[in-house]
Amino acid sequence: MNRLVRGRWCSALRLGLWTCLLLPDLLSARIISVGPQGEFQHIAQAAESAQDGDIVEISAGVYSADVAVWRQKRLTLQGVGGRPVLIAAGHSAEAKAIWVLKHGDFTIRNIEFRGSRVPDGNGAGIRFERGRLQVRDCVFEDNQNGILTGNYADSELSIEDSTFALAPHQSDPLPHLLYVGQIASVRIQGSRFQRGYLGHLVKSRARRSELRYNLIHDGRQGQASYELDFPNGGWVTLVGNIIEHGAGSANPALIAYGAEGHVWPQNRLEMAHNTLINDGWLPAWFVRTWASSFPAGFEFNSYNNLWVGLGFFSSGLEGRSVGNARTWAGALHEPAALDFRLSGSSGLRQRSVVPDEALLPAAEFMLPVGVRPIPGPRTWAPGAVQTAAPP
């Protein structure tokens, strides 16, 4: 069975079990409508009225200065009839964010968050303080932080098919498109990060960080620092990501691991089938690790990654580094159009190895956001894209 299919089947099974356990609550859940023809005209009114287990449906439209604090223990919030756009317009909930999620199990779908600013410089589209949060098909643009989490070690964050972009031009504090604190886990799939400014595109202090099949591409107009930053280490898995370092960055590193020392008992960096691109004229540090920050036994395992352009990466660490390949931007089909396929005649395909099954890609990123499943090829190519371009 295809790994992606098997994973989705297992997820569906877990969802079914949870549905059975929660069936009494689901049967009693209300649907609360927000919009011109809805039960409430304003989102803040729905936040005050909603009870645990409710579903809040927000009609498409623009909601300006309509900020909210959500205190429920379990809630689904989703856009309907199109994607509603929430614009901060100088307002914030608790001087933190457009939405503040206090402590619960939240699912958010099809919502756009724009323009969050607060006096301390850390305004977020969503401030996720504690619990579990699932975000799908959402957009975060022009916020000091797209999502900013708390630091509770039992919290979990999952992001799918979402866009984070357009960091505001500020330098104190630095804006990050996504800032994950010291929580249990963050998992990101099929999402897109672009056009940072001085801060990082993704910064995670989580115990477990897993990124699969994402486009993390600062672009010609971007001026981000690191594309990915894991300052406290932890167990980090990167599979099938396209990670581009723009020429406008003043920092030479794409991926940074352990710059501020470790806080978690298990520290491991594993990468497979990622495409890392340096678009600058100066050499980049594709992966920089601060191994001295960690106890003995820290491993950096790297399989079948494709390094494009000038650069180097940390070496001399425990672990394996096999099947990786270097090439130039000319070997990619049309990177300016975000087409990162290798030529079908590329000899690089013969250099790959088969890593552990957990690190084999089961999908590819698909524009504009999302993933497409891929069958296991006869031979694996290095990099994130297995689909070959015409010779």
Side-chain angles (χ1 to χ4, degrees), residues 21-44:
L21 291 172
L22 299 174
L23 187 58
D25 291 330
L26 293 172
L27 292 175
S28 62
R30 295 183 303 163
I31 295 179
I32 298 175
S33 59
V34 180
Q37 309 302 320
E39 178 181 356
F40 296 105
Q41 304 293 300
H42 301 288
I43 296 170

mmCIF file with all atom_site columns, all heavy atoms in Angstrom, residues 21-44:
data_model
loop_
_atom_site.group_PDB
_atom_site.id
_atom_site.type_symbol
_atom_site.label_atom_id
_atom_site.label_alt_id
_atom_site.label_comp_id
_atom_site.label_asym_id
_atom_site.label_entity_id
_atom_site.label_seq_id
_atom_site.pdbx_PDB_ins_code
_atom_site.Cartn_x
_atom_site.Cartn_y
_atom_site.Cartn_z
_atom_site.occupancy
_atom_site.B_iso_or_equiv
_atom_site.pdbx_formal_charge
_atom_site.auth_seq_id
_atom_site.auth_comp_id
_atom_site.auth_asym_id
_atom_site.auth_atom_id
_atom_site.pdbx_PDB_model_num
ATOM 1   N N   . LEU A 1 21 ? -16.296 8.303  19.857 1.00 0.00 ? 21 LEU A N   1
ATOM 2   C CA  . LEU A 1 21 ? -16.175 8.743  21.243 1.00 0.00 ? 21 LEU A CA  1
ATOM 3   C C   . LEU A 1 21 ? -16.885 10.078 21.473 1.00 0.00 ? 21 LEU A C   1
ATOM 4   O O   . LEU A 1 21 ? -17.446 10.325 22.552 1.00 0.00 ? 21 LEU A O   1
ATOM 5   C CB  . LEU A 1 21 ? -14.703 8.872  21.630 1.00 0.00 ? 21 LEU A CB  1
ATOM 6   C CG  . LEU A 1 21 ? -13.913 7.553  21.735 1.00 0.00 ? 21 LEU A CG  1
ATOM 7   C CD1 . LEU A 1 21 ? -12.424 7.841  21.922 1.00 0.00 ? 21 LEU A CD1 1
ATOM 8   C CD2 . LEU A 1 21 ? -14.430 6.712  22.892 1.00 0.00 ? 21 LEU A CD2 1
ATOM 9   N N   . LEU A 1 22 ? -16.859 10.917 20.441 1.00 0.00 ? 22 LEU A N   1
ATOM 10  C CA  . LEU A 1 22 ? -17.419 12.256 20.592 1.00 0.00 ? 22 LEU A CA  1
ATOM 11  C C   . LEU A 1 22 ? -18.823 12.387 20.026 1.00 0.00 ? 22 LEU A C   1
ATOM 12  O O   . LEU A 1 22 ? -19.376 13.474 19.982 1.00 0.00 ? 22 LEU A O   1
ATOM 13  C CB  . LEU A 1 22 ? -16.509 13.279 19.897 1.00 0.00 ? 22 LEU A CB  1
ATOM 14  C CG  . LEU A 1 22 ? -15.074 13.381 20.430 1.00 0.00 ? 22 LEU A CG  1
ATOM 15  C CD1 . LEU A 1 22 ? -14.251 14.313 19.548 1.00 0.00 ? 22 LEU A CD1 1
ATOM 16  C CD2 . LEU A 1 22 ? -15.061 13.874 21.867 1.00 0.00 ? 22 LEU A CD2 1
ATOM 17  N N   . LEU A 1 23 ? -19.405 11.272 19.590 1.00 0.00 ? 23 LEU A N   1
ATOM 18  C CA  . LEU A 1 23 ? -20.694 11.333 18.912 1.00 0.00 ? 23 LEU A CA  1
ATOM 19  C C   . LEU A 1 23 ? -21.763 12.070 19.717 1.00 0.00 ? 23 LEU A C   1
ATOM 20  O O   . LEU A 1 23 ? -22.497 12.887 19.152 1.00 0.00 ? 23 LEU A O   1
ATOM 21  C CB  . LEU A 1 23 ? -21.164 9.917  18.571 1.00 0.00 ? 23 LEU A CB  1
ATOM 22  C CG  . LEU A 1 23 ? -22.429 9.821  17.718 1.00 0.00 ? 23 LEU A CG  1
ATOM 23  C CD1 . LEU A 1 23 ? -22.227 10.573 16.398 1.00 0.00 ? 23 LEU A CD1 1
ATOM 24  C CD2 . LEU A 1 23 ? -22.793 8.363  17.466 1.00 0.00 ? 23 LEU A CD2 1
ATOM 25  N N   . PRO A 1 24 ? -21.883 11.820 21.032 1.00 0.00 ? 24 PRO A N   1
ATOM 26  C CA  . PRO A 1 24 ? -22.904 12.571 21.773 1.00 0.00 ? 24 PRO A CA  1
ATOM 27  C C   . PRO A 1 24 ? -22.703 14.082 21.665 1.00 0.00 ? 24 PRO A C   1
ATOM 28  O O   . PRO A 1 24 ? -23.668 14.840 21.499 1.00 0.00 ? 24 PRO A O   1
ATOM 29  C CB  . PRO A 1 24 ? -22.719 12.076 23.215 1.00 0.00 ? 24 PRO A CB  1
ATOM 30  C CG  . PRO A 1 24 ? -22.109 10.718 23.066 1.00 0.00 ? 24 PRO A CG  1
ATOM 31  C CD  . PRO A 1 24 ? -21.192 10.833 21.887 1.00 0.00 ? 24 PRO A CD  1
ATOM 32  N N   . ASP A 1 25 ? -21.419 14.533 21.737 1.00 0.00 ? 25 ASP A N   1
ATOM 33  C CA  . ASP A 1 25 ? -21.166 15.961 21.630 1.00 0.00 ? 25 ASP A CA  1
ATOM 34  C C   . ASP A 1 25 ? -21.453 16.466 20.228 1.00 0.00 ? 25 ASP A C   1
ATOM 35  O O   . ASP A 1 25 ? -21.971 17.574 20.035 1.00 0.00 ? 25 ASP A O   1
ATOM 36  C CB  . ASP A 1 25 ? -19.702 16.261 21.988 1.00 0.00 ? 25 ASP A CB  1
ATOM 37  C CG  . ASP A 1 25 ? -19.428 16.039 23.472 1.00 0.00 ? 25 ASP A CG  1
ATOM 38  O OD1 . ASP A 1 25 ? -20.363 16.214 24.268 1.00 0.00 ? 25 ASP A OD1 1
ATOM 39  O OD2 . ASP A 1 25 ? -18.293 15.682 23.822 1.00 0.00 ? 25 ASP A OD2 1
ATOM 40  N N   . LEU A 1 26 ? -21.086 15.652 19.204 1.00 0.00 ? 26 LEU A N   1
ATOM 41  C CA  . LEU A 1 26 ? -21.314 16.078 17.829 1.00 0.00 ? 26 LEU A CA  1
ATOM 42  C C   . LEU A 1 26 ? -22.800 16.248 17.532 1.00 0.00 ? 26 LEU A C   1
ATOM 43  O O   . LEU A 1 26 ? -23.213 17.151 16.809 1.00 0.00 ? 26 LEU A O   1
ATOM 44  C CB  . LEU A 1 26 ? -20.688 15.071 16.861 1.00 0.00 ? 26 LEU A CB  1
ATOM 45  C CG  . LEU A 1 26 ? -19.159 14.991 16.869 1.00 0.00 ? 26 LEU A CG  1
ATOM 46  C CD1 . LEU A 1 26 ? -18.693 13.829 16.006 1.00 0.00 ? 26 LEU A CD1 1
ATOM 47  C CD2 . LEU A 1 26 ? -18.544 16.297 16.388 1.00 0.00 ? 26 LEU A CD2 1
ATOM 48  N N   . LEU A 1 27 ? -23.609 15.331 18.086 1.00 0.00 ? 27 LEU A N   1
ATOM 49  C CA  . LEU A 1 27 ? -25.046 15.408 17.839 1.00 0.00 ? 27 LEU A CA  1
ATOM 50  C C   . LEU A 1 27 ? -25.654 16.652 18.460 1.00 0.00 ? 27 LEU A C   1
ATOM 51  O O   . LEU A 1 27 ? -26.658 17.171 17.982 1.00 0.00 ? 27 LEU A O   1
ATOM 52  C CB  . LEU A 1 27 ? -25.730 14.148 18.375 1.00 0.00 ? 27 LEU A CB  1
ATOM 53  C CG  . LEU A 1 27 ? -25.404 12.845 17.633 1.00 0.00 ? 27 LEU A CG  1
ATOM 54  C CD1 . LEU A 1 27 ? -26.041 11.662 18.344 1.00 0.00 ? 27 LEU A CD1 1
ATOM 55  C CD2 . LEU A 1 27 ? -25.865 12.923 16.182 1.00 0.00 ? 27 LEU A CD2 1
ATOM 56  N N   . SER A 1 28 ? -25.038 17.122 19.554 1.00 0.00 ? 28 SER A N   1
ATOM 57  C CA  . SER A 1 28 ? -25.581 18.304 20.217 1.00 0.00 ? 28 SER A CA  1
ATOM 58  C C   . SER A 1 28 ? -24.902 19.592 19.780 1.00 0.00 ? 28 SER A C   1
ATOM 59  O O   . SER A 1 28 ? -25.259 20.674 20.236 1.00 0.00 ? 28 SER A O   1
ATOM 60  C CB  . SER A 1 28 ? -25.438 18.158 21.742 1.00 0.00 ? 28 SER A CB  1
ATOM 61  O OG  . SER A 1 28 ? -24.074 18.060 22.109 1.00 0.00 ? 28 SER A OG  1
ATOM 62  N N   . ALA A 1 29 ? -23.888 19.496 18.886 1.00 0.00 ? 29 ALA A N   1
ATOM 63  C CA  . ALA A 1 29 ? -23.157 20.684 18.456 1.00 0.00 ? 29 ALA A CA  1
ATOM 64  C C   . ALA A 1 29 ? -24.054 21.608 17.646 1.00 0.00 ? 29 ALA A C   1
ATOM 65  O O   . ALA A 1 29 ? -24.849 21.167 16.824 1.00 0.00 ? 29 ALA A O   1
ATOM 66  C CB  . ALA A 1 29 ? -21.936 20.284 17.634 1.00 0.00 ? 29 ALA A CB  1
ATOM 67  N N   . ARG A 1 30 ? -23.893 22.878 17.873 1.00 0.00 ? 30 ARG A N   1
ATOM 68  C CA  . ARG A 1 30 ? -24.601 23.882 17.103 1.00 0.00 ? 30 ARG A CA  1
ATOM 69  C C   . ARG A 1 30 ? -23.731 24.345 15.944 1.00 0.00 ? 30 ARG A C   1
ATOM 70  O O   . ARG A 1 30 ? -22.505 24.301 16.011 1.00 0.00 ? 30 ARG A O   1
ATOM 71  C CB  . ARG A 1 30 ? -24.916 25.098 17.967 1.00 0.00 ? 30 ARG A CB  1
ATOM 72  C CG  . ARG A 1 30 ? -25.872 24.849 19.117 1.00 0.00 ? 30 ARG A CG  1
ATOM 73  C CD  . ARG A 1 30 ? -26.132 26.179 19.817 1.00 0.00 ? 30 ARG A CD  1
ATOM 74  N NE  . ARG A 1 30 ? -24.884 26.800 20.289 1.00 0.00 ? 30 ARG A NE  1
ATOM 75  C CZ  . ARG A 1 30 ? -24.769 28.082 20.636 1.00 0.00 ? 30 ARG A CZ  1
ATOM 76  N NH1 . ARG A 1 30 ? -25.813 28.894 20.522 1.00 0.00 ? 30 ARG A NH1 1
ATOM 77  N NH2 . ARG A 1 30 ? -23.625 28.554 21.079 1.00 0.00 ? 30 ARG A NH2 1
ATOM 78  N N   . ILE A 1 31 ? -24.376 24.800 14.893 1.00 0.00 ? 31 ILE A N   1
ATOM 79  C CA  . ILE A 1 31 ? -23.685 25.518 13.833 1.00 0.00 ? 31 ILE A CA  1
ATOM 80  C C   . ILE A 1 31 ? -24.022 26.990 13.989 1.00 0.00 ? 31 ILE A C   1
ATOM 81  O O   . ILE A 1 31 ? -25.193 27.377 13.915 1.00 0.00 ? 31 ILE A O   1
ATOM 82  C CB  . ILE A 1 31 ? -24.076 25.002 12.443 1.00 0.00 ? 31 ILE A CB  1
ATOM 83  C CG1 . ILE A 1 31 ? -23.620 23.552 12.264 1.00 0.00 ? 31 ILE A CG1 1
ATOM 84  C CG2 . ILE A 1 31 ? -23.461 25.887 11.362 1.00 0.00 ? 31 ILE A CG2 1
ATOM 85  C CD1 . ILE A 1 31 ? -23.991 22.951 10.936 1.00 0.00 ? 31 ILE A CD1 1
ATOM 86  N N   . ILE A 1 32 ? -23.018 27.787 14.236 1.00 0.00 ? 32 ILE A N   1
ATOM 87  C CA  . ILE A 1 32 ? -23.193 29.228 14.430 1.00 0.00 ? 32 ILE A CA  1
ATOM 88  C C   . ILE A 1 32 ? -22.737 29.933 13.165 1.00 0.00 ? 32 ILE A C   1
ATOM 89  O O   . ILE A 1 32 ? -21.606 29.750 12.717 1.00 0.00 ? 32 ILE A O   1
ATOM 90  C CB  . ILE A 1 32 ? -22.371 29.707 15.640 1.00 0.00 ? 32 ILE A CB  1
ATOM 91  C CG1 . ILE A 1 32 ? -22.864 29.027 16.917 1.00 0.00 ? 32 ILE A CG1 1
ATOM 92  C CG2 . ILE A 1 32 ? -22.431 31.219 15.769 1.00 0.00 ? 32 ILE A CG2 1
ATOM 93  C CD1 . ILE A 1 32 ? -22.038 29.358 18.142 1.00 0.00 ? 32 ILE A CD1 1
ATOM 94  N N   . SER A 1 33 ? -23.598 30.729 12.575 1.00 0.00 ? 33 SER A N   1
ATOM 95  C CA  . SER A 1 33 ? -23.276 31.416 11.322 1.00 0.00 ? 33 SER A CA  1
ATOM 96  C C   . SER A 1 33 ? -22.936 32.878 11.593 1.00 0.00 ? 33 SER A C   1
ATOM 97  O O   . SER A 1 33 ? -23.578 33.548 12.400 1.00 0.00 ? 33 SER A O   1
ATOM 98  C CB  . SER A 1 33 ? -24.438 31.319 10.341 1.00 0.00 ? 33 SER A CB  1
ATOM 99  O OG  . SER A 1 33 ? -25.607 31.903 10.892 1.00 0.00 ? 33 SER A OG  1
ATOM 100 N N   . VAL A 1 34 ? -21.901 33.348 10.881 1.00 0.00 ? 34 VAL A N   1
ATOM 101 C CA  . VAL A 1 34 ? -21.455 34.735 11.008 1.00 0.00 ? 34 VAL A CA  1
ATOM 102 C C   . VAL A 1 34 ? -21.429 35.357 9.624  1.00 0.00 ? 34 VAL A C   1
ATOM 103 O O   . VAL A 1 34 ? -20.913 34.766 8.665  1.00 0.00 ? 34 VAL A O   1
ATOM 104 C CB  . VAL A 1 34 ? -20.053 34.816 11.639 1.00 0.00 ? 34 VAL A CB  1
ATOM 105 C CG1 . VAL A 1 34 ? -19.608 36.273 11.771 1.00 0.00 ? 34 VAL A CG1 1
ATOM 106 C CG2 . VAL A 1 34 ? -20.013 34.120 12.992 1.00 0.00 ? 34 VAL A CG2 1
ATOM 107 N N   . GLY A 1 35 ? -21.981 36.549 9.494  1.00 0.00 ? 35 GLY A N   1
ATOM 108 C CA  . GLY A 1 35 ? -21.984 37.246 8.217  1.00 0.00 ? 35 GLY A CA  1
ATOM 109 C C   . GLY A 1 35 ? -23.224 38.101 8.068  1.00 0.00 ? 35 GLY A C   1
ATOM 110 O O   . GLY A 1 35 ? -24.083 38.137 8.970  1.00 0.00 ? 35 GLY A O   1
ATOM 111 N N   . PRO A 1 36 ? -23.352 38.776 6.958  1.00 0.00 ? 36 PRO A N   1
ATOM 112 C CA  . PRO A 1 36 ? -24.492 39.687 6.767  1.00 0.00 ? 36 PRO A CA  1
ATOM 113 C C   . PRO A 1 36 ? -25.843 39.014 6.950  1.00 0.00 ? 36 PRO A C   1
ATOM 114 O O   . PRO A 1 36 ? -26.790 39.635 7.460  1.00 0.00 ? 36 PRO A O   1
ATOM 115 C CB  . PRO A 1 36 ? -24.314 40.186 5.327  1.00 0.00 ? 36 PRO A CB  1
ATOM 116 C CG  . PRO A 1 36 ? -22.839 40.047 5.069  1.00 0.00 ? 36 PRO A CG  1
ATOM 117 C CD  . PRO A 1 36 ? -22.404 38.836 5.828  1.00 0.00 ? 36 PRO A CD  1
ATOM 118 N N   . GLN A 1 37 ? -25.960 37.748 6.540  1.00 0.00 ? 37 GLN A N   1
ATOM 119 C CA  . GLN A 1 37 ? -27.223 37.024 6.680  1.00 0.00 ? 37 GLN A CA  1
ATOM 120 C C   . GLN A 1 37 ? -27.184 36.007 7.809  1.00 0.00 ? 37 GLN A C   1
ATOM 121 O O   . GLN A 1 37 ? -28.079 35.183 7.935  1.00 0.00 ? 37 GLN A O   1
ATOM 122 C CB  . GLN A 1 37 ? -27.554 36.307 5.358  1.00 0.00 ? 37 GLN A CB  1
ATOM 123 C CG  . GLN A 1 37 ? -27.495 37.186 4.126  1.00 0.00 ? 37 GLN A CG  1
ATOM 124 C CD  . GLN A 1 37 ? -28.437 38.374 4.222  1.00 0.00 ? 37 GLN A CD  1
ATOM 125 O OE1 . GLN A 1 37 ? -29.564 38.251 4.704  1.00 0.00 ? 37 GLN A OE1 1
ATOM 126 N NE2 . GLN A 1 37 ? -27.974 39.541 3.771  1.00 0.00 ? 37 GLN A NE2 1
ATOM 127 N N   . GLY A 1 38 ? -26.142 36.055 8.649  1.00 0.00 ? 38 GLY A N   1
ATOM 128 C CA  . GLY A 1 38 ? -25.954 35.041 9.666  1.00 0.00 ? 38 GLY A CA  1
ATOM 129 C C   . GLY A 1 38 ? -26.625 35.357 10.988 1.00 0.00 ? 38 GLY A C   1
ATOM 130 O O   . GLY A 1 38 ? -27.240 36.412 11.178 1.00 0.00 ? 38 GLY A O   1
ATOM 131 N N   . GLU A 1 39 ? -26.469 34.426 11.906 1.00 0.00 ? 39 GLU A N   1
ATOM 132 C CA  . GLU A 1 39 ? -26.993 34.617 13.260 1.00 0.00 ? 39 GLU A CA  1
ATOM 133 C C   . GLU A 1 39 ? -26.308 35.804 13.924 1.00 0.00 ? 39 GLU A C   1
ATOM 134 O O   . GLU A 1 39 ? -26.921 36.537 14.707 1.00 0.00 ? 39 GLU A O   1
ATOM 135 C CB  . GLU A 1 39 ? -26.767 33.335 14.056 1.00 0.00 ? 39 GLU A CB  1
ATOM 136 C CG  . GLU A 1 39 ? -27.220 33.382 15.489 1.00 0.00 ? 39 GLU A CG  1
ATOM 137 C CD  . GLU A 1 39 ? -26.930 32.086 16.222 1.00 0.00 ? 39 GLU A CD  1
ATOM 138 O OE1 . GLU A 1 39 ? -26.447 31.115 15.589 1.00 0.00 ? 39 GLU A OE1 1
ATOM 139 O OE2 . GLU A 1 39 ? -27.191 32.039 17.450 1.00 0.00 ? 39 GLU A OE2 1
ATOM 140 N N   . PHE A 1 40 ? -25.008 35.976 13.636 1.00 0.00 ? 40 PHE A N   1
ATOM 141 C CA  . PHE A 1 40 ? -24.251 37.106 14.172 1.00 0.00 ? 40 PHE A CA  1
ATOM 142 C C   . PHE A 1 40 ? -23.614 37.875 13.021 1.00 0.00 ? 40 PHE A C   1
ATOM 143 O O   . PHE A 1 40 ? -23.203 37.300 12.017 1.00 0.00 ? 40 PHE A O   1
ATOM 144 C CB  . PHE A 1 40 ? -23.154 36.628 15.138 1.00 0.00 ? 40 PHE A CB  1
ATOM 145 C CG  . PHE A 1 40 ? -23.676 35.946 16.368 1.00 0.00 ? 40 PHE A CG  1
ATOM 146 C CD1 . PHE A 1 40 ? -23.590 34.564 16.509 1.00 0.00 ? 40 PHE A CD1 1
ATOM 147 C CD2 . PHE A 1 40 ? -24.266 36.682 17.386 1.00 0.00 ? 40 PHE A CD2 1
ATOM 148 C CE1 . PHE A 1 40 ? -24.069 33.929 17.637 1.00 0.00 ? 40 PHE A CE1 1
ATOM 149 C CE2 . PHE A 1 40 ? -24.754 36.053 18.532 1.00 0.00 ? 40 PHE A CE2 1
ATOM 150 C CZ  . PHE A 1 40 ? -24.659 34.671 18.656 1.00 0.00 ? 40 PHE A CZ  1
ATOM 151 N N   . GLN A 1 41 ? -23.513 39.167 13.189 1.00 0.00 ? 41 GLN A N   1
ATOM 152 C CA  . GLN A 1 41 ? -22.873 40.008 12.188 1.00 0.00 ? 41 GLN A CA  1
ATOM 153 C C   . GLN A 1 41 ? -21.363 40.065 12.375 1.00 0.00 ? 41 GLN A C   1
ATOM 154 O O   . GLN A 1 41 ? -20.624 40.304 11.420 1.00 0.00 ? 41 GLN A O   1
ATOM 155 C CB  . GLN A 1 41 ? -23.436 41.439 12.267 1.00 0.00 ? 41 GLN A CB  1
ATOM 156 C CG  . GLN A 1 41 ? -24.939 41.521 12.117 1.00 0.00 ? 41 GLN A CG  1
ATOM 157 C CD  . GLN A 1 41 ? -25.398 41.132 10.726 1.00 0.00 ? 41 GLN A CD  1
ATOM 158 O OE1 . GLN A 1 41 ? -25.015 41.754 9.741  1.00 0.00 ? 41 GLN A OE1 1
ATOM 159 N NE2 . GLN A 1 41 ? -26.210 40.092 10.641 1.00 0.00 ? 41 GLN A NE2 1
ATOM 160 N N   . HIS A 1 42 ? -20.918 39.859 13.611 1.00 0.00 ? 42 HIS A N   1
ATOM 161 C CA  . HIS A 1 42 ? -19.501 40.021 13.934 1.00 0.00 ? 42 HIS A CA  1
ATOM 162 C C   . HIS A 1 42 ? -18.928 38.735 14.532 1.00 0.00 ? 42 HIS A C   1
ATOM 163 O O   . HIS A 1 42 ? -19.600 38.033 15.304 1.00 0.00 ? 42 HIS A O   1
ATOM 164 C CB  . HIS A 1 42 ? -19.308 41.185 14.913 1.00 0.00 ? 42 HIS A CB  1
ATOM 165 C CG  . HIS A 1 42 ? -19.813 42.496 14.390 1.00 0.00 ? 42 HIS A CG  1
ATOM 166 N ND1 . HIS A 1 42 ? -19.182 43.195 13.386 1.00 0.00 ? 42 HIS A ND1 1
ATOM 167 C CD2 . HIS A 1 42 ? -20.909 43.219 14.734 1.00 0.00 ? 42 HIS A CD2 1
ATOM 168 C CE1 . HIS A 1 42 ? -19.854 44.299 13.130 1.00 0.00 ? 42 HIS A CE1 1
ATOM 169 N NE2 . HIS A 1 42 ? -20.911 44.340 13.926 1.00 0.00 ? 42 HIS A NE2 1
ATOM 170 N N   . ILE A 1 43 ? -17.673 38.478 14.216 1.00 0.00 ? 43 ILE A N   1
ATOM 171 C CA  . ILE A 1 43 ? -16.997 37.282 14.731 1.00 0.00 ? 43 ILE A CA  1
ATOM 172 C C   . ILE A 1 43 ? -16.876 37.349 16.250 1.00 0.00 ? 43 ILE A C   1
ATOM 173 O O   . ILE A 1 43 ? -17.042 36.344 16.947 1.00 0.00 ? 43 ILE A O   1
ATOM 174 C CB  . ILE A 1 43 ? -15.609 37.143 14.069 1.00 0.00 ? 43 ILE A CB  1
ATOM 175 C CG1 . ILE A 1 43 ? -15.770 36.924 12.563 1.00 0.00 ? 43 ILE A CG1 1
ATOM 176 C CG2 . ILE A 1 43 ? -14.817 36.001 14.699 1.00 0.00 ? 43 ILE A CG2 1
ATOM 177 C CD1 . ILE A 1 43 ? -14.477 37.003 11.783 1.00 0.00 ? 43 ILE A CD1 1
ATOM 178 N N   . ALA A 1 44 ? -16.587 38.526 16.784 1.00 0.00 ? 44 ALA A N   1
ATOM 179 C CA  . ALA A 1 44 ? -16.442 38.664 18.236 1.00 0.00 ? 44 ALA A CA  1
ATOM 180 C C   . ALA A 1 44 ? -17.710 38.242 18.969 1.00 0.00 ? 44 ALA A C   1
ATOM 181 O O   . ALA A 1 44 ? -17.647 37.676 20.075 1.00 0.00 ? 44 ALA A O   1
ATOM 182 C CB  . ALA A 1 44 ? -16.072 40.108 18.594 1.00 0.00 ? 44 ALA A CB  1
#
